[in-house]
Amino acid sequence: MHSPRAAEQSAVLRRPLCLQPASRAPRGAAGAAALQWQMDAALPDENAMNPAEHNRFMARAIALAVENVRKGLGGPFGCVVVKDGQIVAEGANRVTSANDPTAHAEIVAIREACRVLGHFQLTGCDLYTSCEPCPMCLGAIYWARPARVFYAGTAEDAAQAGFDDVDILRELQQPPVRRRIPMQQIMREPALEAFRLWQQKPDKVAY
Amino acid sequence: MHSPRAAEQSAVLRRPLCLQPASRAPRGAAGAAALQWQMDAALPDENAMNPAEHNRFMARAIALAVENVRKGLGGPFGCVVVKDGQIVAEGANRVTSANDPTAHAEIVAIREACRVLGHFQLTGCDLYTSCEPCPMCLGAIYWARPARVFYAGTAEDAAQAGFDDVDILRELQQPPVRRRIPMQQIMREPALEAFRLWQQKPDKVAY
């Protein structure tokens, strides 16, 4: 884990997180609360963004979360999707008010951003969410493929407030037959027909 | 892993999978293709279901998947939600035709079933999906909490047809800063306000 090779791989993996040259990183206790993200190295200038911009977008996601609880519309979660420095979609958790267990803030914001942008991918977008995404929302993020994700509260904060995120991730790591919601395979052979048709389809739209 | 205690836990975990007394389990090669599920022990009679019923519901999920590819509406996936022996909702993958990366068959069917049933939980429902759910859909299943899940194709079948499911699960298991889509924490302190409000709210609807 601590070989030079592993450290090198880690540095490569972490590079996209860097938002501006380290020499411009804010220092000192005064800036620490508002600017908790860490910078490791430089991104090209065209990708640099003033830290205040990140904070402004996250502040909006947090305001959506707070407003959502006050209005009684769902859980304490908000999210915004940003493209080219503009908010293109907002979302808040509407599970209980919309009778939709998938209506987490991130899913609501992703669906709305895709509607606005007219595409099923969030290429070049950033997602700001008031809490670390649950496994469902993480999966949705991978399918939507935004450039970056910023989150504020952690999965542990969510767990302390009574949300199952960590527990669900543990379940996903179990083989299907060992999960709390039992999952059983039947009829694999006939199901393969759909995959055969898909692979043979000349005009399919991959995603 | 193979201690008696582990075996005992495994048996307990697997019990809900049992669909009818093992003595009534179909045997022999003739029944094997249509009835690939395995039975371990008995469920109460009121929960017993004729294997032909399971096959009928899965055949419908597969038909939705096949029809979806033929019509060019999305990926090769279909799903039905069943309650009290009746299909209450159907779904097929509409990612590309609806410009919605979250519109996997399971998510579409879960949202529709919740709309029909007027609740954000699928208590007492079974879900039949033509392919093993991806991590996003598995997360959605845990939030919707159906009784059981039946699937036909495997994650490996999906991967061979070009879908990222296994890759996404691997990413979820990485810590946020090591993921391919970089994820960075900022502004945790102000975000905790939403959780505090939630925990103090006397009339909150938990989910």
Side-chain angles (χ1 to χ4, degrees):
Chain A
M1 285 299 289
H2 297 286
S3 67
R5 179 61 189 270
E8 185 187 4
Q9 286 179 331
S10 170
V12 169
L13 285 163
R14 290 166 73 195
R15 191 159 301 150
L17 291 173
C18 310
L19 304 172
Q20 63 174 38
S23 60
R24 283 191 271 146
R27 301 290 180 204
L35 302 168
Q36 289 180 19
W37 49 270
Q38 298 297 312
M39 290 148 289
D40 301 316
L43 271 188
D45 272 356
E46 60 270 27
N47 289 329
M49 193 192 279
N50 189 313
E53 287 289 282
H54 291 292
N55 292 354
R56 183 167 67 88
F57 295 134
M58 186 59 87
R60 178 61 189 153
I62 293 170
L64 287 164
V66 168
E67 186 184 325
N68 207 48
V69 180
R70 288 198 205 282
K71 289 186 175 171
L73 293 173
F77 305 98
C79 180
V80 300
V81 176
V82 171
K83 186 164 192 176
D84 300 331
Q86 302 288 327
I87 292 176
V88 292
E90 299 185 337
N93 181 293
R94 295 289 151 83
V95 167
T96 54
S97 58
N99 281 334
D100 179 357
T102 75
H104 285 199
E106 296 93 327
I107 302 262
V108 173
I110 287 170
R111 299 181 80 220
E112 174 64 7
C114 286
R115 192 191 65 75
V116 168
L117 299 171
H119 201 261
F120 52 86
Q121 299 277 268
L122 293 180
T123 311
C125 294
D126 286 336
L127 194 139
Y128 295 78
T129 174
S130 67
C131 186
E132 191 172 349
C134 81
M136 172 179 73
C137 293
L138 267 176
I141 285 165
Y142 274 90
W143 289 115
R145 304 186 181 93
R148 299 179 297 194
V149 173
F150 298 89
Y151 63 95
T154 66
E156 289 71 27
D157 295 329
Q160 286 202 354
F163 297 95
D164 280 348
D165 308 30
V166 177
D167 194 41
I168 291 177
L169 186 56
R170 204 176 299 123
E171 283 284 303
L172 262 61
Q173 292 163 350
Q174 296 286 326
V177 294
R178 299 289 293 271
R179 292 182 184 140
R180 205 174 53 218
I181 297 179
M183 300 190 184
Q184 182 73 23
Q185 188 187 45
I186 62 175
M187 292 176 70
R188 175 168 173 260
E189 270 306 319
L192 297 179
E193 173 65 8
F195 288 121
R196 275 190 290 269
L197 276 174
W198 174 259
Q199 288 181 291
Q200 291 160 7
K201 192 175 174 67
D203 61 343
K204 64 173 169 276
V205 183
Y207 59 89
Chain B
M1 285 297 289
H2 297 286
S3 67
R5 177 62 189 270
E8 186 187 2
Q9 287 179 329
S10 171
V12 169
L13 285 162
R14 290 166 71 197
R15 191 159 302 149
L17 291 172
C18 309
L19 304 171
Q20 63 175 42
S23 59
R24 283 192 271 147
R27 302 291 182 203
L35 301 168
Q36 291 181 16
W37 48 271
Q38 299 297 310
M39 289 147 290
D40 302 314
L43 271 190
D45 272 357
E46 60 269 28
N47 288 329
M49 195 192 277
N50 189 312
E53 287 289 281
H54 290 291
N55 292 353
R56 183 167 68 85
F57 296 134
M58 185 59 87
R60 179 61 188 150
I62 293 170
L64 287 164
V66 168
E67 186 184 326
N68 206 49
V69 180
R70 287 198 206 283
K71 290 185 176 172
L73 293 173
F77 306 99
C79 180
V80 299
V81 176
V82 171
K83 186 165 194 177
D84 300 330
Q86 302 288 327
I87 291 177
V88 292
E90 299 184 337
N93 180 294
R94 295 288 151 84
V95 168
T96 54
S97 58
N99 281 335
D100 180 357
T102 75
H104 285 201
E106 297 93 326
I107 302 263
V108 173
I110 287 170
R111 299 180 82 220
E112 175 64 8
C114 287
R115 193 191 64 76
V116 168
L117 299 171
H119 202 261
F120 53 85
Q121 298 276 267
L122 294 180
T123 311
C125 294
D126 286 336
L127 194 139
Y128 295 79
T129 175
S130 67
C131 185
E132 191 172 350
C134 81
M136 172 179 73
C137 294
L138 266 176
I141 286 164
Y142 274 89
W143 290 114
R145 304 186 181 92
R148 299 180 297 195
V149 173
F150 298 89
Y151 65 94
T154 66
E156 289 71 26
D157 295 329
Q160 285 202 357
F163 297 95
D164 280 347
D165 307 29
V166 177
D167 194 41
I168 291 177
L169 186 55
R170 204 175 301 123
E171 283 283 305
L172 263 61
Q173 291 164 349
Q174 296 286 325
V177 294
R178 300 287 293 269
R179 290 179 185 142
R180 205 173 51 217
I181 297 179
M183 299 190 185
Q184 181 73 21
Q185 188 187 43
I186 62 175
M187 293 175 68
R188 174 169 175 259
E189 270 306 318
L192 297 180
E193 173 64 8
F195 287 121
R196 275 191 289 269
L197 276 175
W198 174 259
Q199 289 181 290
Q200 291 161 6
K201 192 176 173 68
D203 60 343
K204 64 174 169 273
V205 184
Y207 60 89

